Amino acid sequence: MIKGLRTVKYPVNDLAKAKAWYSEVFGTAPYFDQPFYVGFAIAGFELGLVPDGEPGSAGCCAYWGVDNIEDEVARIAALGAKVHADIQDVGEGIKVAELADPFGNLLGLICNPLFKVEDVR
């Protein structure tokens, strides 16, 4: 049986800058910090940064939950991200947005009042 999301991995071309930027975005330092991988524990899930990768917005996009999508889009844009896809109401009170991080990857945000944290396994 497939369980819920565990790790999202972003390739970066400057590991030190990406580590500092994501520390600021998520408000936490990495729990695992090696030259070959930097891992952040984010609300029970993991964001991993891998060096010498090829960042890009053509691949998949992971969506990180937020309570107020308007405030978070503004905050992360102020930290240097560019809005890739504006906030959209996709129905039933769910809103999504995508930002391009300074390294070329997409960072998705989702405000989903239907999400049940107790279902996470």
Side-chain angles (χ1 to χ4, degrees):
M1 175 205 266
I2 295 176
K3 296 187 177 184
L5 174 72
R6 294 295 186 262
T7 302
V8 174
K9 190 171 75 170
Y10 290 145
V12 297
N13 48 24
D14 188 325
L15 191 59
K17 284 183 181 177
K19 179 172 55 174
W21 193 81
Y22 276 98
S23 291
E24 183 74 22
V25 167
F26 285 100
T28 189
Y31 80 92
F32 188 84
D33 190 352
Q34 296 294 322
F36 57 89
Y37 184 85
V38 173
F40 293 85
I42 310 296
F45 302 99
E46 180 161 337
L47 166 63
L49 303 177
V50 291
D52 304 322
E54 184 65 36
S57 61
C60 67
C61 179
Y63 288 80
W64 297 91
V66 298
D67 291 326
N68 185 315
I69 198 164
E70 291 82 3
D71 287 353
E72 284 302 298
V73 166
R75 184 182 74 83
I76 296 170
L79 292 171
K82 294 189 181 352
V83 175
H84 180 78
D86 288 324
I87 298 168
Q88 297 176 20
D89 186 326
V90 296
E92 299 190 33
I94 301 168
K95 294 180 181 180
V96 297
E98 295 175 0
L99 296 110
D101 73 13
F103 315 98
N105 296 299
L106 291 182
L107 174 66
L109 301 179
I110 185 167
C111 180
N112 182 353
L114 306 177
F115 178 79
K116 297 178 186 171
V117 71
E118 60 271 13
D119 288 346
V120 175
R121 294 183 269 155

